[in-house]
Amino acid sequence: MRLAFISDIHGNAIALDAVLKDIKEKDVNKIFVLGDLCFRGPEPKRALELVRSLNTEVIKGNADEWVLRGIEEGEVTSKAIEMMTKEREWTLSQLDAEDINYLGNLPTEINFEYKDIQIHAFHATQNNLFQVVQPFEDDSEIKQKLMVNDAADIYIYGHIHKSYIRYVDGKCIINTGSVGLPFDGLNQPSYAIIDICEDGIGIQTSIIRVDYNASNAIKQFKDSDYPDKELMIGILKNAKI
């Protein structure tokens, strides 16, 4: 069983096109989407339509929550909140009521089991869409923040836009990285694959990086009236925030 996990698309439909093409070529059996679908990208509507066309399990991220109810004080810096509110308003202008209803009905976690391998997936942590858990956290912090479901063998999340794989107490923790806005200095979309052996004992995990035409996504921003587009262009170019 080959599973693909994608997250943090952020309205970059061109990057999502490339990832879905790569997933198809790898004969993946099932795709899971771990949130942050359309906010802060040039094509929120098309990105959301691509996700919905997968007819698969999708969960909500913090950026999806922002689209629904706005950005509250303390969630971003006081300097950023005014501009990000304008970005949210722009995103809302590209979506319709059905899109908003879809985002509002998304769950916040996925529990998947195959051949006695249990996978627990969420956006940031199980109980918080906004909490940041970095790759360099101590094992104790990883256990407290990410490994709440004791029954799981694999824990997988997005949110931080930095992919990694590590093991704690014999269990696997994976971050998918970001499809649309990587923050690790490599401007290639990333996603995760989990292969579960048919005997239900062995697993193989990998982070995949995909080539795509970032210049086309940058041109979309340049040609749009997106607020603070120079900031977003810089992030796309440098894969850093």
Side-chain angles (χ1 to χ4, degrees):
M1 173 68 73
R2 173 166 286 182
L3 310 173
F5 293 80
I6 66 176
S7 189
D8 296 273
I9 299 158
H10 288 286
N12 189 343
I14 292 176
L16 182 56
D17 284 334
V19 166
L20 293 179
K21 180 177 181 291
D22 192 74
I23 287 173
K24 185 176 181 180
E25 291 172 353
K26 286 182 169 54
D27 295 324
V28 166
N29 300 108
K30 187 172 176 63
I31 303 172
F32 299 90
V33 186
L34 306 188
D36 283 8
L37 310 181
C38 53
F39 182 44
R40 304 204 89 185
E43 290 189 278
K45 179 75 171 179
R46 191 165 80 85
L48 191 55
E49 288 173 347
L50 284 170
V51 169
R52 296 183 68 176
S53 73
L54 298 174
N55 294 315
T56 192
E57 292 181 67
V58 181
I59 59 175
K60 183 190 297 182
N62 65 295
D64 307 309
E65 184 71 7
W66 279 338
V67 171
L68 292 166
R69 51 86 162 156
I71 302 162
E72 297 177 358
E73 290 187 11
E75 293 176 344
V76 299
T77 65
S78 57
K79 182 179 179 181
I81 192 167
E82 181 178 355
M83 181 57 71
M84 288 186 68
T85 297
K86 291 179 180 179
E87 293 177 72
R88 172 190 177 254
E89 291 169 353
W90 185 91
T91 301
L92 282 172
S93 74
Q94 308 297 306
L95 304 176
D96 58 32
E98 184 179 346
D99 298 326
I100 301 304
N101 184 62
Y102 174 80
L103 293 176
N105 287 316
L106 290 175
T108 57
E109 63 179 327
I110 293 168
N111 288 286
F112 179 81
E113 183 174 356
Y114 182 77
K115 298 285 187 178
D116 294 328
I117 299 295
Q118 295 190 39
I119 299 173
H120 189 201
F122 37 84
H123 180 68
T125 65
Q126 178 180 344
N127 301 313
N128 189 318
L129 294 176
F130 297 87
Q131 190 171 17
V132 174
V133 182
Q134 297 285 10
F136 50 77
E137 301 273 7
D138 291 337
D139 284 1
S140 60
E141 290 294 311
I142 293 289
K143 290 167 68 174
Q144 178 185 350
K145 295 174 182 177
L146 299 180
M147 301 171 67
V148 177
N149 180 355
D150 291 337
D153 303 289
I154 301 171
Y155 305 85
I156 184 164
Y157 70 113
H159 189 51
I160 61 172
H161 298 218
K162 298 176 183 179
S163 59
Y164 73 91
I165 299 171
R166 66 185 276 189
Y167 284 81
V168 175
D169 290 351
K171 297 189 175 187
C172 184
I173 296 91
I174 303 172
N175 190 281
T176 63
S178 173
V179 170
L181 286 175
F183 289 169
D184 58 5
L186 180 62
N187 64 347
Q188 293 179 324
S190 70
Y191 71 97
I193 282 182
I194 299 173
D195 285 298
I196 303 176
C197 299
E198 287 306 312
D199 60 13
I201 298 174
I203 63 168
Q204 293 182 347
T205 60
S206 53
I207 300 296
I208 310 298
R209 303 304 290 248
V210 180
D211 287 325
Y212 91 112
N213 196 333
S215 62
N216 284 351
I218 289 169
K219 185 176 187 302
Q220 287 180 330
F221 269 126
K222 287 181 176 179
D223 293 344
S224 75
D225 59 351
Y226 189 90
D228 209 16
K229 57 187 174 183
E230 291 305 318
L231 172 66
M232 301 311 299
I233 288 169
I235 295 173
L236 283 178
K237 283 181 177 179
N238 303 313
K240 292 182 179 180
I241 192 168

